[in-house]
Amino acid sequence: MIDLASEAWRRALTIGLRVRLADDRGGALPLPVFRFGPVDVAYAGFPVGLTPGEAPQALEAARASGAALVRIITTGGPLADGSGKRRYVQTSAWIPDLRAWSPGATDKARRTRNRKARSPVVLRDSHAGDGDALWRLYRQTLTRRGGSARYTSTYFAELADAGVLVATLDEAIIGFAACGVFGSRAFYLHGAHDPVARPHYPSDLLFLAMLERAKARGAESFDFLPSPPQQPALHAYKRSWGAFDTASVTEDVPISMAGSALAAAYAARQRLSRWRSSRA
């Protein structure tokens, strides 16, 4: 599991995604600032979201970062002060009380637990040299689903070094699940599997192990994070582990004229995307 307040996660952001970090408070979720052409955009709460109680201080730090636009991500509802100029709500799958969750909680978890003992799949922690295999599986998944790459091979190399759960068959990596933890909350960050190995259920085995590890570490909740709207089956899969729907809210707060223009452009793109979806 990757501690999202650790130096390893900071390396994944700065080296893997080539961002600068604007807030280095100890124990705080890092505040990455991404460059979009001539404009800096600060992503407060990236990628897992802040609680409403954490959001005001993070927003203050983001305003001081020099970014033209702040995108602040919260879980459990919008900012209390209503500071967001534009608000986008996504549905996430969330286990609010991981301490009460058990492998017997759902049919999916029970079947996976029973299958684990006779499975030829072996789970282990990633090694520093596993980044290429994780990147390959990530790209395969994007190709199948028609997505575009948001993360780099260097980023996955850093994740492999930080510690990712991988599934192997005859010592070859056939799947992985990256899980992050921040305070008492745990999160599913990334995952993929080789479709050729699907008869061995690597994703089920990885998800069960991920939840068991998060619970053993003392996490009180588990957030699977939002799935792309065009992938309802993925959201249903996350719910099958005993998760409930919750809101993940992104608010755009422009700091300058350039930030206002970027926020308006993003809003227009979102409206176009919704219109296209309605016509499909």
Short mmCIF file of all heavy atoms in Angstrom, two decimals, residues 91 116 180-181 188 195 219 230 235 253 277:
data_model
loop_
_atom_site.label_atom_id
_atom_site.label_comp_id
_atom_site.label_asym_id
_atom_site.label_seq_id
_atom_site.Cartn_x
_atom_site.Cartn_y
_atom_site.Cartn_z
N THR A 91 -19.97 9.88 -9.33
CA THR A 91 -20.37 8.86 -8.36
C THR A 91 -19.22 7.92 -8.10
O THR A 91 -18.62 7.38 -9.02
CB THR A 91 -21.58 8.07 -8.86
OG1 THR A 91 -22.66 8.97 -9.11
CG2 THR A 91 -22.02 7.05 -7.82
N LYS A 116 -9.53 -18.83 -3.75
CA LYS A 116 -8.14 -18.46 -3.52
C LYS A 116 -7.27 -19.67 -3.18
O LYS A 116 -6.13 -19.79 -3.66
CB LYS A 116 -8.06 -17.42 -2.39
CG LYS A 116 -6.65 -16.96 -2.07
CD LYS A 116 -6.68 -15.79 -1.08
CE LYS A 116 -7.26 -16.21 0.26
NZ LYS A 116 -7.12 -15.12 1.28
N GLY A 180 -3.83 3.11 -2.19
CA GLY A 180 -3.24 4.19 -1.41
C GLY A 180 -3.93 4.32 -0.07
O GLY A 180 -5.09 3.93 0.10
N VAL A 181 -3.21 4.88 0.90
CA VAL A 181 -3.77 5.11 2.22
C VAL A 181 -3.37 6.51 2.67
O VAL A 181 -2.24 6.95 2.44
CB VAL A 181 -3.32 4.04 3.23
CG1 VAL A 181 -1.81 4.06 3.42
CG2 VAL A 181 -4.03 4.20 4.56
N TYR A 188 -8.55 2.82 -3.82
CA TYR A 188 -8.11 2.08 -4.99
C TYR A 188 -7.66 3.10 -6.03
O TYR A 188 -8.45 3.93 -6.50
CB TYR A 188 -9.26 1.24 -5.53
CG TYR A 188 -9.01 0.59 -6.87
CD1 TYR A 188 -8.00 -0.36 -7.04
CD2 TYR A 188 -9.81 0.92 -7.97
CE1 TYR A 188 -7.79 -0.95 -8.28
CE2 TYR A 188 -9.60 0.33 -9.21
CZ TYR A 188 -8.59 -0.61 -9.35
OH TYR A 188 -8.38 -1.19 -10.58
N PRO A 195 -6.29 -9.88 -20.17
CA PRO A 195 -7.55 -10.60 -20.47
C PRO A 195 -7.33 -12.08 -20.76
O PRO A 195 -8.25 -12.88 -20.55
CB PRO A 195 -8.09 -9.85 -21.69
CG PRO A 195 -6.94 -9.13 -22.27
CD PRO A 195 -6.04 -8.79 -21.12
N ALA A 219 -7.25 0.90 8.29
CA ALA A 219 -8.08 1.86 7.57
C ALA A 219 -9.53 1.73 8.00
O ALA A 219 -10.04 0.62 8.20
CB ALA A 219 -7.95 1.65 6.06
N GLN A 230 -18.72 6.15 -18.90
CA GLN A 230 -18.99 5.20 -19.99
C GLN A 230 -18.66 3.77 -19.60
O GLN A 230 -18.75 2.87 -20.45
CB GLN A 230 -18.22 5.60 -21.26
CG GLN A 230 -16.71 5.54 -21.15
CD GLN A 230 -16.09 6.84 -20.62
OE1 GLN A 230 -16.73 7.60 -19.91
NE2 GLN A 230 -14.85 7.09 -21.00
N HIS A 235 -18.18 0.31 -12.35
CA HIS A 235 -18.77 0.81 -11.11
C HIS A 235 -19.56 -0.30 -10.41
O HIS A 235 -19.48 -0.46 -9.18
CB HIS A 235 -19.67 2.00 -11.40
CG HIS A 235 -20.32 2.57 -10.18
ND1 HIS A 235 -19.62 3.28 -9.21
CD2 HIS A 235 -21.62 2.52 -9.74
CE1 HIS A 235 -20.45 3.64 -8.24
NE2 HIS A 235 -21.66 3.19 -8.54
N VAL A 253 -12.10 26.82 -9.20
CA VAL A 253 -12.01 28.15 -8.58
C VAL A 253 -10.95 28.95 -9.33
O VAL A 253 -9.75 28.79 -9.09
CB VAL A 253 -11.65 28.04 -7.09
CG1 VAL A 253 -11.67 29.42 -6.44
CG2 VAL A 253 -12.60 27.10 -6.36
N SER A 277 -23.26 12.31 -25.61
CA SER A 277 -23.73 11.09 -24.94
C SER A 277 -25.25 10.95 -25.08
O SER A 277 -25.76 9.84 -25.25
CB SER A 277 -23.34 11.12 -23.47
OG SER A 277 -21.94 11.12 -23.33
#
